[in-house]
Amino acid sequence: EAGVAQSPRYKIIEKRQSVAFWCNPISGHATLYWYQQILGQGPKLLIQFQNNGVVDDSQLPKDRFSAERLKGVDSTLKIQPAKLEDSAVYLCASSLRQGEDEQFFGPGTRLTVL
Amino acid sequence: QKEVEQDPGPLSVPEGAIVSLNCTYSNSAFQYFMWYRQYSRKGPELLMYTYSSGNKEDGRFTAQVDKSSKYISLFIRDSQPSDSATYLCAMKPHGNNRLAFGKGNQVVVIP
């Protein structure tokens, strides 16, 4: 079974630029999550999708972050404009269905904002 | 007070030693408790999962939950160099998928 795929793996941008990350969950997984993991911290949930609907985006900084999962499969997370404090690893995870306990994580995208 | 406290201090142990990790939490609604292992430049992978209080053993790994003290532990017996990783505790209440993570403990097992 293929795991969660993410791209790019690394990205370096200057502050005020925009950036987008892509995630392809495990086939058949209805629930998709985006997490932000700042160096030395645990992951923090940014947004959760159930199919193509948003379940929880209460911790997403909506003035600069946006995410979509238009066809209920792939998802993109965008930051516009980026700030220095956005430097982090952005992890995508998926689970079979909402309430399913195990979340499978991708390798993450490491973002550096200069 | 953070919901989940995990002392992030790095831990170095000789091969074969017992590794002991723990987390405390403040939210009494947490019912599901997990330990994730994260290798460098990889995503976290689920290592142990426990519901409510009690112990769970899986090979060299033992997870303990004491809800009365709001305290969870992970023990690794006969530690191996391949156990060198960051270990994250995570927990969530019933009916909610939002995991609250600790900061993680970096463990180094020295051959």
Side-chain angles (χ1 to χ4, degrees):
Chain A
E1 176 180 79
V4 176
Q6 290 188 247
S7 68
R9 290 297 313 275
Y10 304 92
K11 190 74 177 177
I12 300 174
I13 62 172
E14 294 189 349
K15 60 183 178 183
R16 291 189 288 274
Q17 286 187 322
S18 62
V19 64
F21 313 126
W22 173 83
C23 172
N24 185 279
I26 293 173
S27 177
H29 279 197
T31 310
L32 185 146
Y33 313 80
W34 282 102
Y35 288 86
Q36 179 193 57
Q37 186 175 23
I38 293 172
L39 185 66
Q41 305 282 331
K44 182 184 85 170
L45 180 69
L46 293 175
I47 189 167
Q48 177 190 340
F49 291 94
Q50 177 69 16
N51 295 311
N52 61 349
V54 174
V55 174
D56 183 355
D57 64 356
S58 57
Q59 300 189 105
L60 186 74
K62 299 180 186 64
D63 58 333
R64 298 183 301 106
F65 286 65
S66 64
E68 60 183 13
R69 194 185 184 200
L70 291 175
K71 296 182 179 179
V73 181
D74 294 6
S75 177
T76 55
L77 176 71
K78 296 179 181 177
I79 308 175
Q80 183 179 10
K83 293 185 175 181
L84 297 176
E85 58 261 35
D86 298 332
S87 294
V89 175
Y90 290 85
L91 295 162
C92 179
S94 69
S95 61
L96 192 57
R97 55 185 176 270
Q98 192 173 358
E100 182 73 18
D101 297 304
E102 183 163 9
Q103 298 179 22
F104 295 85
F105 285 81
T109 296
R110 183 176 297 272
L111 173 68
T112 301
V113 182
L114 302 176
Chain B
Q1 184 186 16
K2 287 183 70 68
E3 274 193 313
V4 181
E5 299 278 1
Q6 182 177 10
D7 184 352
L11 186 63
S12 292
V13 299
E15 184 175 354
I18 295 175
V19 176
S20 174
L21 306 171
N22 58 76
C23 290
T24 59
Y25 63 95
S26 58
N27 188 345
S28 57
F30 288 144
Q31 296 281 347
Y32 299 89
F33 304 91
M34 299 151 212
W35 286 94
Y36 282 82
R37 179 174 61 195
Q38 187 172 24
Y39 290 114
S40 180
R41 303 193 183 278
K42 301 284 188 182
E45 57 177 334
L46 184 64
L47 192 61
M48 297 288 283
Y49 159 77
T50 311
Y51 171 69
S52 197
S53 285
N55 293 357
K56 184 173 183 178
E57 191 172 314
D58 184 0
R60 297 183 296 109
F61 298 89
T62 299
Q64 291 183 347
V65 175
D66 182 347
K67 289 190 68 180
S68 62
S69 301
K70 296 189 177 69
Y71 186 92
I72 69 170
S73 302
L74 177 71
F75 300 96
I76 307 173
R77 291 184 300 280
D78 188 25
S79 57
Q80 304 294 309
S82 58
D83 295 327
S84 297
T86 295
Y87 291 81
L88 297 150
C89 63
M91 48 200 79
K92 70 183 186 80
H94 181 71
N96 187 323
N97 272 18
R98 187 194 301 179
L99 289 174
F101 281 89
K103 288 185 176 181
N105 271 120
Q106 184 180 4
V107 173
V108 177
V109 181
I110 303 167

